[in-house]
Amino acid sequence: MTESTGGVTHHRRTLLTTALGAAVGLSTGVAAAAATAPRQRATEHTQILGRDVDVTRATPDVVRILKSYFEAKTAADLDATVAHFSRKVTYVDATLGWAWYSRKELYDLFAQLMPTWPKTAASYPTRIVGNTGSAVVVFTDTPELFGHEIRPVGAVDFEGGKIVRWVDYWDGRAFTMAGIAEQRTPAGQFPADFGEKGLARTAPRSIRSTVRALSDALDSGDAHSAVSLFHPDALFEDLGLHTTVEGRHSIESFLNSALRSLPYGPGARVRHVSGTGQGGGYEWVNPSALAPRGITALELDDTGLVTRMTSVWDSSLWSDGAITRAQSATILQ
């Protein structure tokens, strides 16, 4: 990645700050939780940096860890932030195609960026699903970090009380079309190594089975089989389309109209599964789609039905017309 001079240099540095906002951290003395206790939950909401965070499907230990991290990062505490990462860590911004593969690389980058952050900047979670084996985190980067508000969904894996992998996904249109085009790595140079190979499998069979059934149904274009996995009052969110659909019947109607064009539909394959029996999510790739990668967060009830599905992908890779056509599928006929 080549830095330019003047205002563009500052522009690029602030965007790097945004990318790093996805990284999560752990207190040094916290041991990784076993994936065998998915039913342990924190209270429904907690406060982190003065904001309410939905932790209904998160264990108390991962809530404590992420609270510690986001507070340290927002305070621009370099040592406390970087201490949360394993020496061998993979961090990827899946929208920009920027990747770092060691704690030393992250240290050097944070050391460059943190002194430039304004006091009013903050990065804070709004929803946490999972435990300290693996988790999905929905969070917000405030506009002071990069000039526009960004709301990524991140997948994180832990080993031995340290972060070993973090990948964040967000919609490039949040940054503006011109800005994302300037910063995005060309498709032919996009990193292929997202660090999932060789990781211990922490997500339990229950969520892996749900992910397999859901992804297979979406890949085959079978909306009916897909929604059979949903609770009757489920919430379906597509952050790339800025679309929300409520209720199993309405979700099926939407998918019947839009599924074959959606990037997590036909052609999509699971990259990595995170979370617990109460929820988590899966990263997916789709080489045949204009938006070839993304993440889908899932929340499950005690019977294993999906109560909430949230997908995010880079809609800046789609035309305005394609987005409008997909959005129109929410208008029931």
Side-chain angles (χ1 to χ4, degrees):
M1 181 176 62
T2 303
E3 292 284 349
S4 56
T5 58
V8 176
T9 299
H10 178 71
H11 180 66
R12 187 183 296 271
R13 286 167 57 126
T14 54
L15 187 56
L16 273 167
T17 303
T18 302
L20 283 170
V24 300
L26 295 115
S27 300
T28 304
V30 178
T36 56
R39 300 292 177 177
Q40 181 192 20
R41 295 186 187 179
T43 56
E44 290 188 1
H45 290 85
T46 191
Q47 287 267 317
I48 297 178
L49 292 167
R51 281 87 169 183
D52 281 334
V53 184
D54 183 346
V55 294
T56 308
R57 288 170 173 79
T59 57
D61 48 4
V62 77
V63 173
R64 182 170 59 252
I65 288 165
L66 295 180
K67 181 176 186 293
S68 172
Y69 167 74
F70 280 106
E71 289 175 347
K73 176 184 171 290
T74 297
D77 187 330
L78 175 61
D79 290 335
T81 302
V82 177
H84 298 94
F85 295 94
S86 173
R87 290 185 182 278
K88 293 183 179 180
V89 59
T90 296
Y91 171 73
V92 181
D93 184 308
T95 298
L96 296 176
W98 296 352
W100 295 265
Y101 296 108
S102 73
R103 185 168 66 184
K104 178 63 164 59
E105 290 182 21
L106 292 178
Y107 183 94
D108 291 344
L109 195 55
F110 274 121
Q112 180 185 21
L113 296 175
M114 280 184 167
T116 72
W117 295 355
K119 296 291 186 183
T120 53
S123 182
Y124 59 91
T126 55
R127 181 161 34 121
I128 301 168
V129 182
N131 63 12
T132 53
S134 58
V136 171
V137 183
V138 182
F139 64 98
T140 299
D141 286 327
T142 62
E144 295 93 332
L145 287 174
F146 58 94
H148 300 272
E149 182 180 83
I150 288 181
R151 293 179 176 266
V153 178
V156 61
D157 291 270
F158 309 101
E159 288 181 6
K162 299 286 184 180
I163 301 168
V164 294
R165 179 180 183 269
W166 177 273
V167 183
D168 71 31
Y169 299 84
W170 49 283
D171 182 8
R173 284 178 181 265
F175 187 66
T176 74
M177 292 293 286
I180 196 66
E182 176 190 356
Q183 301 296 331
R184 186 194 295 116
T185 300
Q189 301 172 28
F190 225 85
D193 181 8
F194 276 29
E196 71 275 11
K197 295 180 180 178
L199 283 177
R201 180 182 285 181
T202 61
R205 183 187 301 272
S206 54
I207 190 168
R208 287 189 283 113
S209 296
T210 298
V211 166
R212 185 184 309 111
L214 178 61
S215 62
D216 285 351
L218 295 175
D219 175 42
S220 65
D222 187 347
H224 182 71
S225 293
V227 300
S228 70
L229 303 168
F230 284 67
H231 187 278
D233 299 316
L235 185 68
F236 180 101
E237 300 167 310
D238 188 314
L239 302 185
L241 293 180
H242 301 276
T243 293
T244 300
V245 183
E246 295 183 71
R248 180 192 288 162
H249 294 293
S250 294
I251 294 169
E252 182 170 4
S253 177
F254 169 75
L255 290 178
N256 275 327
S257 297
L259 179 55
R260 293 193 176 278
S261 68
L262 296 176
Y264 45 88
R269 297 291 182 269
V270 175
R271 179 194 286 273
H272 183 60
V273 181
S274 304
T276 73
Q278 291 298 304
Y282 67 101
E283 298 162 73
W284 45 265
V285 295
N286 191 342
S288 65
L290 292 175
R293 64 193 64 86
I295 190 171
T296 296
L298 299 172
E299 296 184 13
L300 311 179
D301 68 10
D302 289 338
T303 70
L305 291 176
V306 176
T307 59
R308 185 173 185 177
M309 172 176 165
T310 306
S311 294
V312 64
W313 46 281
D314 186 3
S315 75
S316 72
L317 297 168
W318 275 27
S319 68
D320 292 356
I323 292 173
T324 300
R325 286 191 293 274
Q327 288 173 332
S328 69
T330 62
I331 303 173
L332 304 183
Q333 302 299 319

